[in-house]
Amino acid sequence: MSIRIAILVSGHGRGSNMAALIDACERGEIDGQVVLVIGTRREAPALQRAAEKGVPTCVISPRGLDDEQYARRLLQALEEAQVDLVCLAGYMRLLPAPVVRAYAGRVMNIHPALLPLFGGKGMYGEHVHRAVLESGMKVSGCTVHFVDEHYDTGPIILQRCVPVEEDDTWESLAARVLEQEHQAYVQAVKLFAEGRLRLEGRRVRILPSSP
Ligand code: GRF
């Protein structure tokens, strides 16, 4: 059964992970369809990019709303679009708890480091890669995980590693990680669509493909 996917992006998101997911659905690599991209601001480059790809978009701004009101609007949009899976892609906020609960085990996020290292509030973009370089780590990478009610702490689905090179700047490291992000996110969503992810406590078991 083909799954219906919604992608959430934030105000300034460029949307490269979003585009990777949309393209993988178009190619038939993922048995699914991106049915809605939700942004927090109309000006988001990601929304423009989604519209150019013919994917429906909408703006749900949290500004002036309390958490409960914001959650209600998100839930309404997701329910109307009959979404099976929610993918956060450059979504900078904490997803409101009622949404996490309503879609438990059905919300994913991608993070540009090897969690549980270099995650948490304020750890995004440049901050992550600078922290990795300062730590002296010889490898970095990306993590796709299920979303819980905190930043970057949900069960890990997939990780990919990249080397940290001697002459890396945060920009060169970010670019190397981003390439892996696109592949890892597509792979994780593909596994979800195939019904091959099983949550066992904090571990995500990847089931073999059916013959
Ligand atoms: C990515 O690095 C992702 O890991 C993080 O936010 C960034 C979004 O980039 N959550 P893009 O908008 O997908 O290009």
Side-chain angles (χ1 to χ4, degrees):
M1 189 202 71
S2 175
I3 61 162
R4 297 172 65 82
I5 303 164
I7 300 179
L8 264 64
V9 298
S10 275
H12 302 285
R14 51 184 171 191
S16 72
N17 280 287
M18 174 205 75
L21 292 175
I22 294 172
D23 293 348
C25 289
E26 295 266 288
R27 288 196 300 275
E29 191 176 338
I30 294 172
D31 187 12
Q33 194 191 349
V34 179
V35 293
L36 183 62
V37 175
I38 303 175
T40 54
R41 283 168 54 148
R42 184 151 306 283
E43 305 76 41
L47 288 184
Q48 171 89 30
R49 209 161 162 183
E52 282 162 12
K53 288 178 177 290
V55 174
T57 64
C58 75
V59 176
I60 302 179
S61 168
R63 282 187 74 162
L65 303 181
D66 63 32
D67 235 35
E68 213 181 292
Q69 293 167 322
Y70 178 51
R72 218 175 305 134
R73 294 207 188 165
L74 285 175
L75 283 171
Q76 192 185 345
L78 295 173
E79 276 154 26
E80 270 171 23
Q82 298 181 300
V83 163
D84 302 301
L85 176 69
V86 180
C87 293
L88 310 186
Y91 179 76
M92 311 297 279
R93 306 176 60 85
L94 203 54
L95 193 64
V99 181
V100 175
R101 284 197 290 269
Y103 286 83
R106 296 192 294 149
V107 186
M108 288 183 189
N109 180 45
I110 180 127
H111 185 76
L114 295 173
L115 293 174
L117 298 174
F118 310 109
K121 194 168 164 51
M123 277 305 231
Y124 57 88
E126 174 177 348
H127 305 289
V128 175
H129 303 295
R130 280 189 189 280
V132 171
L133 290 175
E134 275 159 28
S135 77
M137 291 271 296
K138 301 293 186 189
V139 291
S140 189
C142 62
T143 304
V144 185
H145 63 94
F146 283 121
V147 170
D148 62 15
E149 294 179 20
H150 310 279
Y151 281 108
D152 304 324
T153 57
I156 293 170
I157 301 167
L158 282 182
Q159 294 186 302
R160 285 185 176 225
C161 289
V162 301
V164 176
E165 307 285 3
E166 296 298 325
D167 55 355
D168 261 338
T169 59
W170 76 263
E171 290 96 334
S172 62
L173 180 58
R176 194 174 309 118
V177 171
L178 189 64
E179 253 180 63
Q180 296 302 314
E181 289 186 38
H182 298 157
Q183 295 180 35
Y185 218 172
V186 167
Q187 193 185 350
V189 173
K190 180 177 161 64
L191 288 167
F192 181 93
E194 292 170 353
R196 292 175 57 198
L197 298 178
R198 190 197 292 153
L199 203 50
E200 292 177 358
R202 283 205 47 84
R203 295 190 70 178
V204 179
R205 186 181 291 279
I206 297 177
L207 304 175
S209 56
S210 44

